[in-house]
Amino acid sequence: MSAAMEQWSWPPSYDDRYRPQEGSRYWFPVRETMPAADREAAILTRLQQVCAYAYEHAPFYRRKWDEAGFHPSQLKSLEDFETRVPVVRKADLRAAQEAHPPYGDYLCVSEREVARVHGTSGTTGRPTAFGISAEDWRSISNAHARIMWAMGMRPGDTICIAAIFSLYMGSWGALGGAERLGATAFPFGAGAAGMSSRCAQWLDILKPAGFYGTPTYAIHLADTAIRDGRDPRGFGLKYMFFSGEPGASIPSIRERIEELYGAKVYDSGSMGEMTPWMNVAGSEQTPGMLCWQDIVYTEVCDPVTHCRVPYGSRGTPVYTHLERMAQPMIRLESGDLTVWTNDETPCGRTYPQLPMGIIGRVDDMITIRGENVYPSEIEAALSQLPGYGGEHRIYITREGTMDEMLISVELDADGWKRGEDRRQAFHATVARQLHAVLGLRAVIEIVAPNTHPRTDFKAKRVVDDRQAFVEMRARHLEASSR
């Protein structure tokens, strides 16, 4: 295969001295532009290697596959992989780690080979530990550098990483990619009180080319900068890439960030377990997100059957590592929602695309009086409205047997100052827009700017009190019957 697919080897090994030729659009020109059929043939060979490796080294996979009647020797086609290999869920990983702490019996290397430990926050339930070997980290950094190159970032650029540095993998992946790219990494972080003003001050001083964070934080940061008398466009940012929450693929939110900063906005991100999380990410010329199939093999599947859906259909991404050795994820169900296509791309890369990015989560879907509602659709609708103050909350309650949805929406400062007539007009606009989008009526509340807390991480905008109401009502009935 041409140029051996540029360092395509098993186990993965990359030359850390390698850089593309100056002026090249591609980090690996052959891998990124080869005919899809040729790439799929190479991916099948890699899947055979990955599955044989995992079967030999991970009791977790051996047990799971034996129960499903699958053996790696039976893997003769991508269809075999997609129909015979069972999916893995996050609950499976937690159970494995609880039974075999700390890394679970899907760790394929010795514990002494684990060079980094990351994981979930563990705010609810048992946290999940990610064991990453030194070689895995090299592969992760190389993958992120490739994709950041595709976004337009180059050696010597300064890249501000304005997200929490903790167990969260997003910040560290961006840092590893920036360093491998040969950029100047500025790991500012986030999380402490008053950091937004300080971040804006640093951006004004350093004038970095790139910025990583969440869409919510980028908007909050711009609002803070303007309040402090700074113009976010004066920071000189050219490239802003995001993960952690839907938003950067929603046209109204993307356009708002681009207008605030005068920068190009890219959406990216899959799951912490799947780092490199930028295995679905946009390029400088192609909007939406690309599935970088030679890094992480991505299928978009029916959430119930886990069978691959046709291009043009909605489903949930199912991911498989092709370059990880310590804790390889093989058919990990994401629980996200997306639509995928396989059209020609402006950038010339021959990967499938997620033109709308990640549009929500299967388990975030709210059923109100028989109608399915996705919070991301509400966010997209509100973000298009003149006067939207930048934050909202969705409250779900139950009165008797009837579900009710209240949406509390901030009006911007200018609109709020104009008085009650402007508030009522905005109320009518919001109600009309949401009814058109959702197909049902909600109770709308218009509130002052900055009523709802801002965050520098994932914004939690849904408060579902239905179960609490049912439990309270049951306790009341029980007490009344005594």
Side-chain angles (χ1 to χ4, degrees):
M1 194 166 289
S2 179
M5 282 188 67
E6 293 128 331
Q7 305 187 44
W8 179 265
S9 61
W10 181 260
S13 178
Y14 288 104
D15 179 359
D16 292 339
R17 298 166 298 177
Y18 170 81
R19 294 282 193 284
Q21 292 183 356
E22 186 175 350
S24 173
R25 177 179 291 183
Y26 311 107
W27 185 273
F28 288 145
V30 174
R31 285 173 67 169
E32 293 172 28
T33 64
M34 66 194 308
D38 292 349
R39 184 186 297 110
E40 287 176 356
I43 287 172
L44 173 60
T45 300
R46 175 58 57 86
L47 288 173
Q48 292 167 336
Q49 295 166 332
V50 168
C51 288
Y53 171 79
Y55 191 86
E56 178 182 355
H57 292 92
F60 171 86
Y61 286 112
R62 189 159 56 247
R63 180 175 62 254
K64 192 173 184 65
W65 294 347
D66 286 348
E67 291 172 356
F70 168 74
H71 188 274
S73 63
Q74 300 168 341
L75 185 53
K76 306 297 184 183
S77 67
L78 291 182
E79 184 180 5
D80 287 340
F81 180 74
E82 295 165 356
T83 58
R84 304 191 67 170
V85 179
V87 298
V88 173
R89 298 178 174 87
K90 286 190 176 184
D92 298 328
L93 304 180
R94 286 193 294 268
Q97 292 197 356
E98 188 168 8
H100 304 279
Y103 302 110
D105 58 346
Y106 54 95
L107 183 71
C108 291
V109 299
S110 67
E111 289 190 18
R112 70 174 59 187
E113 293 179 70
V114 174
R116 302 177 69 107
V117 181
H118 292 278
T120 60
S121 62
T123 54
T124 57
R126 179 186 176 87
T128 304
F130 307 155
I132 302 170
S133 68
E135 288 304 308
D136 280 351
W137 190 249
R138 290 181 63 203
S139 296
I140 289 168
S141 299
N142 189 86
H144 282 302
R146 276 184 66 188
I147 297 168
M148 291 162 73
W149 179 281
M151 293 175 181
M153 286 167 266
R154 293 293 182 267
D157 284 343
T158 298
I159 299 172
C160 175
I161 303 164
I164 294 172
F165 278 93
S166 60
L167 293 173
Y168 175 59
M169 280 299 298
S171 311
W172 297 100
L175 176 62
E179 292 175 337
R180 173 64 183 88
L181 182 67
T184 301
F186 176 47
F188 183 83
M195 286 191 73
S196 296
S197 288
R198 182 66 71 179
C199 185
Q201 183 180 28
W202 272 103
L203 292 174
D204 215 9
I205 294 169
L206 287 179
K207 312 292 186 190
F211 176 96
Y212 167 71
T214 65
T216 296
Y217 183 62
I219 293 171
H220 172 53
L221 176 63
D223 290 343
T224 301
I226 293 168
R227 184 199 66 203
D228 292 348
R230 304 180 192 278
D231 180 4
R233 284 177 165 263
F235 299 158
L237 290 167
K238 298 178 181 178
Y239 320 103
M240 301 182 74
F241 57 111
F242 299 101
S243 72
E245 61 186 16
S249 285
I250 296 173
S252 55
I253 296 174
R254 181 179 66 247
E255 290 164 9
R256 185 179 180 199
I257 296 172
E258 289 177 340
E259 176 63 26
L260 284 167
Y261 290 94
K264 181 74 174 176
V265 169
Y266 305 96
D267 200 4
S268 59
S270 54
M271 307 168 68
E273 290 86 351
M274 292 312 305
T275 295
W277 47 263
M278 282 196 288
N279 62 279
V280 282
S283 73
E284 190 170 14
Q285 298 80 18
T286 301
M289 301 162 83
L290 297 168
C291 299
W292 295 69
Q293 297 288 66
D294 52 320
I295 298 173
V296 171
Y297 183 60
T298 300
E299 315 156 57
V300 176
C301 297
D302 182 283
V304 177
T305 66
H306 301 113
C307 294
R308 177 173 167 154
V309 300
Y311 290 119
S313 301
R314 176 184 285 194
T316 186
V318 174
Y319 299 119
T320 298
H321 279 132
L322 299 183
E323 298 188 336
R324 289 280 291 275
M325 304 293 290
Q327 280 182 323
M329 295 290 101
I330 303 174
R331 297 210 80 211
L332 178 63
E333 178 189 52
S334 69
D336 290 327
L337 279 172
T338 193
V339 174
W340 72 339
T341 61
N342 195 29
D343 303 324
E344 288 189 14
T345 63
C347 67
R349 292 178 176 84
T350 52
Y351 297 123
Q353 306 101 50
L354 311 182
M356 296 184 289
I358 301 300
I359 58 179
R361 288 192 54 79
V362 174
D363 52 8
D364 279 349
M365 184 183 74
I366 306 165
T367 302
I368 305 292
R369 302 192 292 277
E371 297 289 339
N372 295 334
V373 175
Y374 290 97
S376 57
E377 293 178 321
I378 295 175
E379 181 178 3
L382 292 175
S383 297
Q384 295 172 2
L385 298 180
Y388 174 54
E391 270 297 343
H392 64 278
R393 291 295 181 271
I394 304 166
Y395 299 96
I396 313 298
T397 62
R398 176 167 293 165
E399 296 290 341
T401 59
M402 183 66 72
D403 293 334
E404 296 290 347
M405 179 165 59
L406 183 147
I407 304 178
S408 178
V409 184
E410 290 183 6
L411 177 60
D412 64 18
D414 181 64
W416 191 261
K417 290 176 183 177
R418 294 186 185 185
E420 187 61 27
D421 288 348
R422 177 67 183 104
R423 296 167 200 173
Q424 290 184 7
F426 185 62
H427 182 283
T429 301
V430 170
R432 184 169 57 251
Q433 178 78 353
L434 292 182
H435 182 257
V437 169
L438 304 177
L440 54 84
R441 297 192 182 279
V443 178
I444 306 300
E445 175 189 47
I446 304 303
V447 298
N450 299 310
T451 295
H452 301 302
R454 269 54 178 174
T455 177
D456 49 22
F457 198 49
K458 300 179 184 181
K460 183 174 177 58
R461 297 189 171 101
V462 180
V463 181
D464 191 337
D465 286 334
R466 283 178 294 189
Q467 187 58 39
F469 182 88
V470 170
E471 292 171 357
M472 178 183 69
R473 188 168 183 271
R475 289 195 298 270
H476 176 73
L477 292 174
E478 182 181 355
S480 300
S481 65
R482 289 175 183 168

